[in-house]
Amino acid sequence: MVEICNLVGGRLVRRLNRFVLEVEVNGRVERAHLRDSGRPTELMKPGNRVLVRPKKRERTSHEVFVIYDAHVPVVVNSSFHSDIVAEILEGECYRIEGKEVKVGSSRIDLLVSRDGAAKLVEVKGCTLVRDGVALFPDAPTERGGEARQGDC
């Protein structure tokens, strides 16, 4: 089972840059690393609830895992997405053959197999929530188009 220990609740103070948030945890303002540096603009509201994990102090003292959009928890830590998907696939009798598998000049999140057939799996997370529904893509792209319901 995917388990994240030592998560603590706090509040978002502000986003300093693509990778660093200021969060209030236990009455203190701390710097927290944001692994998913994309455009979760809708989540970056001062006062939003966050779940962070303390880490050895480097440039930041915490790592961000979840930012709440109202009452909806949004996983914003991409390392966690692959672990969740791997656990689901294992429950469906797939075997995880590899993670971060090099294919040409790219890396693919998972290599899985079942019944003698191997498959590559790329995992994407959604950070855009509208009316309690996750939307993908959270940033319009030429390939992805506008955000649509039900694609995530």
Side-chain angles (χ1 to χ4, degrees):
M1 178 195 297
V2 174
E3 187 173 315
I4 304 240
C5 297
N6 303 320
L7 287 181
V8 295
R11 297 272 175 207
L12 176 64
V13 175
R14 66 185 176 132
R15 187 176 193 176
L16 296 177
N17 60 46
R18 286 181 60 197
F19 298 102
V20 181
L21 302 181
E22 280 187 344
V23 296
E24 183 181 344
V25 178
N26 296 323
R28 295 182 53 179
V29 175
E30 304 280 354
R31 288 185 174 206
H33 179 247
L34 179 63
R35 188 177 293 247
D36 285 0
S37 63
R39 204 186 87 166
T41 310
E42 294 80 7
L43 297 175
M44 297 299 152
K45 297 174 186 160
N48 274 7
R49 289 176 50 208
V50 297
L51 293 178
V52 298
R53 178 174 64 186
K55 63 180 203 159
K56 293 181 182 173
R57 188 149 184 89
E58 296 166 9
R59 292 184 180 161
T60 57
S61 61
H62 290 76
E63 184 171 11
V64 182
F65 280 86
V66 172
I67 301 175
Y68 282 79
D69 181 5
H71 300 290
V72 178
V74 180
V75 177
V76 293
N77 190 305
S78 57
S79 68
F80 194 44
H81 295 139
S82 289
D83 292 341
I84 293 168
V85 170
E87 185 172 317
I88 291 167
L89 290 173
E90 287 175 326
E92 295 295 320
C93 300
Y94 282 90
R95 181 175 171 188
I96 307 303
E97 302 288 349
K99 293 183 177 185
E100 293 292 320
V101 178
K102 189 169 171 131
V103 177
S105 61
S106 298
R107 292 198 179 271
I108 304 297
D109 294 317
L110 299 169
L111 172 62
V112 302
S113 66
R114 183 170 78 175
D115 302 328
K119 298 184 185 299
L120 293 167
V121 178
E122 184 67 12
V123 178
K124 298 294 178 205
C126 295
T127 59
L128 176 60
V129 177
R130 286 196 190 133
D131 299 322
V133 176
L135 300 173
F136 186 83
D138 56 1
T141 65
E142 201 170 298
R143 273 184 25 194
E146 295 294 323
R148 300 179 307 266
Q149 286 190 344
D151 287 352
C152 183

